[in-house]
Amino acid sequence: LNMERVSVDESFFALGGDSIVSIQLVSRARARGISFTPRDVFERKSVSGLAEVATILGETVERPTVEELAGGGVGPLALTPIMKSILEGPGGFSRFAQSVAVVLPTGIDHGLLSRTLAAVVDHHDVLRSVVERAAGGEWTFRVREPGTVDIDELLVRVVSDAAIDDSALRARAEDALDAAKDRLDPESGRMLEAIWFDFESKGSGAPRPGILLIVAHHFVVDGVSWRILLPDLAIAWGQGAAEQAIALAPVGTSMRRWAHGLVDAAHDSAREAEVTLWTEILTGADPLLGIRPFDPHVDTLSTTDRVDAELSESVTEAVLTQVPGAFNGGVNDGLLAALALALTKWRSRRGTEHAEVL
């Protein structure tokens, strides 16, 4: 690796702290045909260490790919089980979203930000999807052609004084997030919102970098998606800022192909043979958590409260690294086990002795 060629500066999207360096470094290297991960940056900690794990794009071993459907990622998309469950469940689904905030390059302008977002939306097909009702009343999912999403309509600029304090900015961001979720509308294809917090300096102080709050419906993003979308945003911005044509790395298997493949796999004889096992697992007792059963018409997201808890550094370290390492699992495994133990003890204190949690 040539350190000068992959050096980092403020002209890329950032997440904060050391993540700034890792995301920027990965994005810039990837744009020049060199591949490694943000985790490699944290673990290797040097250029020579990264050189040991980095690969040249195009020279890596070809991974098996699934043959695409006619039309590739564009066209009718089979509903995944979670999509079907949400669409057919009670209540609305428009606000079912995820969000992430990224720091923008200082001095970014509307035109380049709009082109950057448009390039990513056109590159990742599912971001252009729309939920529709068929003639028989059943829900369907369709991915539209590139160029069908009006980015300027989805990009909202919020101007604030650069001197705004963190608490006031957080409150304003929470209000903007709530309003953005209200504007999401999968039935019209509005799967994405981008809130641009642009700060204007009224004095002689240094300019404050803007913040982009990206809000996307959960139909089109999940926790893993951001690890793909954020580097692509960085690369698109870097290429656009350098007045180059924006060219992102080819997409692998499309969401559309994967969803249809999932339907095919569900009807495989080996999968169908597992139905009895999973049905038996769901037959266990499930004592009430409160004084009445859940009511899907009352117990909705709008009636929930939020509780924040701050954990110590030692507990956080154990949850994120030591527990997964000890049990050869992931973070969620430890959290789920802890929830089951806590719920069992909570029930026991209230006179319900039950050794399992459904």
Side-chain angles (χ1 to χ4, degrees), residues 8 22 31 44 73 84 106 109 154 192 202 247 313 352:
V8 296
S22 65
R44 295 289 170 159
K84 187 176 179 67
T106 302
D109 63 72
L154 308 183
L192 189 73
K202 297 183 178 179
E313 182 179 345
T352 301

Side-chain angles (χ1 to χ4, degrees), residues 39 315-335:
R39 183 172 183 174
V315 170
T316 304
E317 174 70 16
V319 170
L320 296 182
T321 61
Q322 296 169 12
V323 172
F327 293 94
N328 193 30
V331 174
N332 286 345
D333 298 322
L335 293 175

Side-chain angles (χ1 to χ4, degrees), residues 21-32:
V21 177
S22 65
I23 292 293
Q24 291 173 338
L25 192 59
V26 167
S27 299
R28 226 173 196 178
R30 183 179 173 190
R32 289 162 174 78

